[in-house]
Amino acid sequence: MSGGGDASVREEEPPAGAALLAAADTGVVVLDGDGRVVWSNDAATRYLGVDGAAVRGLSAEAFAERAASRLADGAAFVAAVTEGGVDAPDREIHVVDGPEDRWLERRTHPIEDGEYAGGRVECYVDVSDQKHALDRLDRRERTLRAVHDVLLDRSRDLDDRLDELLDVTGRMLGADHAAFARFGDGRVLVENVTSGLDAAVAPGHAIDTSETIAGVVSERDGLVHADDATDRWPDRHPVGVAGNTGLDYYVGVPVAVEGEQYGVLSFAGAAPKQGGLDWELTLLDITANSLGHELANSIREDRAEEQLLQARREFESLVQDVEDYAIFRLDTDGHVESWNRGAEEIKGYESEEIIGEHVRTFHTEADREIDYADELLDRARERGRAVDTGWRVRADGSRIWVNAVITALHDDDGELLGFLKVTRDMTERRAREKQLEHERERLEFVNRIIRHNLLNGMNVVEARANILEGHVDDEVAPHLATIQERVEDMTDLIETMRTFMKAIVEGEEHEAEPMALDGVLEDELAKADRAYDDATFEHDALPEVPVLADDLLPEVFENLLTNAVQHNEGPTARVRVETEVTDDEVVVRVLDDGPGIDESVMAHVFEKGQKGFESPGTGFGLYLVHEIVDSYGGRVEATNREAGGAAFTVGLPRP
């Protein structure tokens, strides 16, 4: 029978093999040579929604139009079926109207012989599983690429990237709500939120960690995934959500920065997810680790930038406000580029007067003739720094004595950017130094008079008085004793003045150096013991450690031991010396059992001339002690002891 035979006859005679194809999973539709449907199986009905009996006898176009309403692109399907051939395009069909989303692959096969020769067989294979698998792979690839691009796009602000990261990973997990929050002080601070919920909070919201599921993530220090979050944690809710909104589905993963918990990525949804999320959760874990590295980089960069900005602000403020120094920049040729307040004060120029002028403007005429300014710049170029002290000229023509430092400034490649010049006005200091030098010469003259004239004269008087001792009658003897006593006092005063003058006049020649303290203390204690028969001197083992001092150190302890005895009102004096060694200094305490120091003079006890009216001595002893110890960089203190008596504490620096 030909392909153009009677359709009614063909209805009763299904094609060969129809019984076998009736139960197949592949949808089959047979068309005769006239392009009319002669038979279809149950799979075709199930896939395309066309009843086999209803479409029999319909043209290919009419058949296609019946099925087109269920398809995503029905027009393309009608055109493909109507055109027929096996090489027709659009072989992939998306069925969207039905019990489930379905993908079909359309294939056509010609019938070359038999009753329906010239016709064709339309086959519709269900490829939904493969299509969905490929779609999942495609989505995963796109998600992975998106996450990668977001995390590594350091040209953008990290906060913006976090918003996009939440959006990408939230869609991957099928979440209705996504948030990133930071842990701190028992609270969770929301920093980024991407949500379609009315209950979502804005960034900056803080809540106790114990009230959020993020607290569970923190406690476990690992990924938390639950489809029944509300039942499992009824008193907690996802980060970034105000109150309980029935979001049963939850995924949270901790974010660590440099090994320490920093925050949490939190995702939530209203319905549990169908199927596993193994790949998605693995990617989320990797994402959290990568985010931790980005946060660490951002924190380091922010910290470094803030420190740099703060340093710049402080430096610029310092430079602008400094009045004692002229601090300004020069270009590579030596022209002034900046000007601070100190430069105005020292140089006398306003910024608009001097910017752009060459640094030789400040030099004397003699220096300009020999190009001394350029010589200093060349020295700074070659050595990195040039230092000079000499005369400079102010705007009004007056001269000042300055100390100037020129530093070469280079970029990272070593290219010269210019110079920084720092100038200090030393005119007054130079004048003071000249004056001090003159005063030192005068003091040296007085010192020589005291040493060679006055002291020698007193020695002669003392010698003659000693000769007369035993050769005068009882009436004259008290007067001789008074002469001897006053001569001795005057000699002591001269010796004190000689020591003090030595400390002042020759101070620069007596720099502190390591000295054995125990030997000095032993000598001075022995000397005091010989000088005062009615006094007792006690001490512990003396430390065998050096201190920074000079040959005036014995004067310190001679004065302190003498002071302890002379100011004791009792018949005998008891003096104790204690020592203590620390990492930085050696402490020596001279303790006596006298009346102590009157509170009215306590604050001034180390000042010149501080002594009681009836007290022996010159009143310069403790002042001399303070000046000598201070010149060593040490300290000396006076206090009263609770048990009675005074305590003088000397702290001497260790080398």
Side-chain angles (χ1 to χ4, degrees), residues 26-29 31 60 63 77 80-91 93 105-111 119-125:
T26 300
V28 178
V29 178
L31 292 88
F63 157 72
F77 176 71
V81 173
T82 301
E83 292 169 2
V86 294
D87 295 325
D90 303 318
R91 299 179 64 189
I93 303 166
E105 185 178 82
R106 173 178 169 267
R107 302 171 186 171
T108 61
H109 304 278
I111 301 175
R120 71 179 187 272
V121 178
E122 295 267 343
C123 297
Y124 299 93
V125 181

Side-chain angles (χ1 to χ4, degrees), residues 387-402:
V387 181
D388 180 59
T389 301
W391 291 109
R392 296 293 186 272
V393 180
R394 299 182 80 248
D396 60 6
S398 61
R399 300 206 311 170
I400 53 174
W401 184 263
V402 304

Side-chain angles (χ1 to χ4, degrees), residues 317-391:
S317 175
L318 172 66
V319 168
Q320 289 302 319
D321 293 339
V322 164
E323 296 183 356
D324 295 335
Y325 292 85
I327 305 175
F328 53 96
R329 291 193 313 273
L330 305 174
D331 66 15
T332 54
D333 294 323
H335 297 93
V336 178
E337 289 188 326
S338 70
W339 202 242
N340 78 324
R341 189 176 304 168
E344 292 181 5
E345 292 292 328
I346 293 174
K347 303 289 189 179
Y349 291 94
E350 299 290 335
S351 60
E352 57 270 15
E353 295 178 285
I354 199 62
I355 297 293
E357 297 295 327
H358 197 273
V359 69
R360 70 173 64 92
T361 304
F362 311 126
H363 283 254
T364 64
E365 188 65 33
D367 284 347
R368 274 183 262 180
E369 289 178 359
I370 61 174
D371 293 328
Y372 189 54
D374 290 323
E375 180 183 331
L376 291 175
L377 293 176
D378 289 339
R379 193 185 307 168
R381 285 190 190 95
E382 296 171 3
R383 306 176 186 176
R385 192 166 179 261
V387 181
D388 180 59
T389 301
W391 291 109

Side-chain angles (χ1 to χ4, degrees), residues 241-263:
V241 178
N244 190 351
T245 58
L247 298 176
D248 286 342
Y249 165 61
Y250 177 82
V251 176
V253 60
V255 176
V257 173
E258 296 181 343
E260 299 291 334
Q261 274 194 12
Y262 181 85

Side-chain angles (χ1 to χ4, degrees), residues 136 140 172-174 225-227 249 251 271-281:
R136 283 197 301 273
R140 288 176 179 179
M172 174 187 73
L173 297 169
H225 173 219
D227 286 334
Y249 165 61
V251 176
K273 301 296 106 181
Q274 299 296 326
L277 289 173
D278 293 343
W279 182 88
E280 288 81 358
L281 296 181

Side-chain angles (χ1 to χ4, degrees), residues 492-505 550-560 563 604-610 618-632 636 650 652:
D492 288 342
L493 177 59
I494 292 170
E495 287 293 340
T496 299
M497 290 301 298
R498 184 189 69 81
T499 301
F500 184 63
M501 294 292 287
K502 182 179 180 181
I504 294 176
V505 176
D550 59 18
D551 57 3
L552 295 179
L553 183 60
E555 298 285 345
V556 172
F557 297 111
E558 178 183 351
N559 277 281
L560 290 178
N563 183 77
H604 311 286
V605 71
F606 292 107
E607 295 180 5
K608 291 181 290 187
Q610 289 297 319
T618 65
F620 284 93
L622 293 180
Y623 173 66
L624 181 62
V625 167
H626 179 273
E627 291 300 307
I628 293 175
V629 173
D630 185 66
S631 72
Y632 301 156
V636 59
V650 177
L652 297 170

